[in-house]
Amino acid sequence: MPRKSRCFLGLFALSAAGLACAQSSLVLFGVMDASVSRYSVRSSSWDGSGRTSSQSTWGVSPSGNLASRIGLRGTEDLGGGTSAGFWLEAPVTNDTGGGALNFGRRSTVSLAGHWGEVRLGRDHTPSFLNDWAFDPYTVNGVGVNLLAVVSSNLAISRALGTQATGTLTERLLGNGLSAGTDNYLRANNSIGYHLPAGLGGIYGQLMYAFPENNSKRGRYAGGRLGWTGGPTDVALGYGESMLGTFNGHKETIKSLNLGGSYNFGPVKVLGELSQVRNARSDTNTTDRYDGMLAGVQIPVGLHQIRASIARVQYKNGQGTGDASVNKIALGYVHNLSKSTALYSTVSRISVGNGHNNPGIMGVTPLAVSSPVIMPQPAYSNAPGMQPRSALGADFGVRMIF
């Protein structure tokens, strides 16, 4: 057996112990995060009848502070400043221990050098990364970025609306749809290019994802360009996802966002502006979702205080009724060590004119408001009822390894 092959076999068997060969490395990594959580939602009538309805639940949930995951990544030095690498990362539902192990979080192989990095496979979309990077809660737990929840709900709602065959569960699973796929959070079949380091603080990436079938469903194109220097970080992101072409008509979701942060030392300030457009040629209309988020992270010794406010305004392309949703979140993290922390987060959501768009603007404290994907209390959909408000709370522990 060639020496290099023996080297990789030894790495794979002993990666947990951190062994490596001279020009190669293999790392096992992950996060385990669990919390005791409370979610509640409230519906009210908009037909003047004065009816109300509420649902709530307690439970143990994963990913209240960071997303629970397990992964394996490796690199090989090819010489001349060039390296090859792979990255396999799987979600972990540690609240139940169930679910088949899959690498839906990331599955890429890459080549990198002084010219940058090229990645192939399933990876985060550039248009999502501002929602993550400039959210004080990094899109986790009940404090999750409101802009991200609305974008996830839109991707799910329109993915189902443009795929009319099979049961709801079959349509969800058959299309690979999960908490924010259909090219909002991640894209399959993608080619990505990342700028190299050493460009005076400039960073960026481009991505193209091939469609799944002849309807061009799943095609994505986007990019992100940013600059970081000292306490400042700012980035602009754009992405366009094709939901498909049907009977001569097409539907796309176009996302544009601008995010930034500034670290004053005693406090880090973060913010984002976002506009998402759902363009449908069959009705010749474009629905619009205008969002803003502002937040802070305040370190105090081993402690960190986090807070954010956010708003999304829905503009109906046919002029038949708008809607809005507001969110406020407050969190606390106590670091027991570099890898282990205790945390708590509370949030409140209020919905205005939710009957105009309940499937998307009726957001809950979770990252996705669909009970089919994430079991949770649901708003009443009885005639004349509309989403009104929601509350969420997480109390948990997180370990990084």
Side-chain angles (χ1 to χ4, degrees), residues 287-289 312-317 321-324 356-357 361:
D287 294 338
R288 202 175 80 196
Y289 300 83
V312 176
Q313 179 75 38
Y314 164 65
K315 301 287 188 180
N316 187 292
D322 300 338
S324 64
N356 288 328
N357 196 342
M361 300 299 285

Side-chain angles (χ1 to χ4, degrees), residues 130-211:
N130 279 351
D131 291 349
W132 166 79
F134 302 111
D135 175 15
Y137 304 93
T138 59
V139 195
N140 286 294
V142 298
V144 58
N145 189 340
L146 178 65
L147 283 59
V149 181
V150 171
S151 292
S152 292
N153 289 346
L154 175 61
I156 291 168
S157 173
R158 294 315 306 150
L160 296 177
T162 55
Q163 185 73 22
T165 61
T167 66
L168 177 60
T169 302
E170 288 170 344
R171 283 178 280 160
L172 287 169
L173 301 180
N175 291 306
L177 187 62
S178 62
T181 58
D182 257 33
N183 295 340
Y184 163 62
L185 182 60
R186 299 176 177 89
N188 296 329
N189 309 312
S190 74
I191 301 174
Y193 169 73
H194 295 248
L195 289 174
L199 298 179
I202 295 174
Y203 61 89
Q205 66 184 107
L206 295 171
M207 174 185 279
Y208 179 83
F210 292 96

Side-chain angles (χ1 to χ4, degrees), residues 143-147 272 291-295 308-312 325-329 348 350:
V144 58
N145 189 340
L146 178 65
L147 283 59
E272 182 184 4
M292 63 77 61
L293 176 142
S308 68
I309 58 172
R311 175 179 174 83
V312 176
V325 59
N326 300 285
K327 181 173 184 178
I328 183 169
R348 186 183 188 280
S350 60

Side-chain angles (χ1 to χ4, degrees), residues 7-279:
C7 179
F8 272 114
L9 286 174
L11 278 169
F12 204 94
L14 299 171
S15 60
L19 298 184
C21 296
Q23 294 182 327
S24 304
S25 68
L26 193 64
V27 178
L28 178 69
F29 66 94
V31 175
M32 291 297 285
D33 182 320
S35 67
V36 177
S37 302
R38 166 113 176 143
Y39 314 120
S40 65
V41 299
R42 182 175 180 271
S43 308
S44 64
S45 62
W46 59 278
D47 58 5
S49 64
R51 293 172 295 157
T52 62
S53 174
S54 62
Q55 297 184 54
S56 62
T57 187
W58 285 92
V60 173
S61 59
S63 309
N65 177 259
L66 291 177
S68 292
R69 72 197 82 164
I70 187 167
L72 192 67
R73 63 178 183 263
T75 60
E76 181 185 14
D77 187 348
L78 301 176
T82 302
S83 64
F86 75 91
W87 189 304
L88 296 171
E89 188 173 323
V92 176
T93 53
N94 51 288
D95 54 329
T96 65
L101 183 68
N102 68 81
F103 296 107
R105 287 186 55 87
R106 180 172 166 182
S107 178
T108 61
V109 63
S110 61
L111 283 175
H114 59 84
W115 38 265
E117 180 185 4
V118 174
R119 295 182 191 170
L120 304 176
R122 176 172 170 82
D123 203 358
H124 282 115
T125 62
S127 48
F128 160 76
L129 288 177
N130 279 351
D131 291 349
W132 166 79
F134 302 111
D135 175 15
Y137 304 93
T138 59
V139 195
N140 286 294
V142 298
V144 58
N145 189 340
L146 178 65
L147 283 59
V149 181
V150 171
S151 292
S152 292
N153 289 346
L154 175 61
I156 291 168
S157 173
R158 294 315 306 150
L160 296 177
T162 55
Q163 185 73 22
T165 61
T167 66
L168 177 60
T169 302
E170 288 170 344
R171 283 178 280 160
L172 287 169
L173 301 180
N175 291 306
L177 187 62
S178 62
T181 58
D182 257 33
N183 295 340
Y184 163 62
L185 182 60
R186 299 176 177 89
N188 296 329
N189 309 312
S190 74
I191 301 174
Y193 169 73
H194 295 248
L195 289 174
L199 298 179
I202 295 174
Y203 61 89
Q205 66 184 107
L206 295 171
M207 174 185 279
Y208 179 83
F210 292 96
E212 292 286 356
N213 52 44
N214 291 335
S215 73
K216 298 182 181 179
R217 183 183 182 87
R219 187 179 69 183
Y220 173 90
R224 182 171 182 248
L225 184 65
W227 176 81
T228 182
T232 305
D233 189 4
V234 61
L236 178 70
Y238 178 79
E240 184 170 321
S241 176
M242 175 71 77
L243 285 162
T245 55
F246 311 92
N247 300 320
H249 301 288
K250 70 176 182 178
E251 182 169 351
T252 57
I253 295 178
K254 304 175 183 180
S255 301
L256 176 67
N257 50 46
L258 174 66
S261 65
Y262 190 89
N263 194 339
F264 290 92
V267 59
K268 182 178 182 179
V269 178
L270 307 95
E272 182 184 4
L273 297 174
S274 171
Q275 185 177 95
V276 180
R277 293 175 177 265
N278 180 205

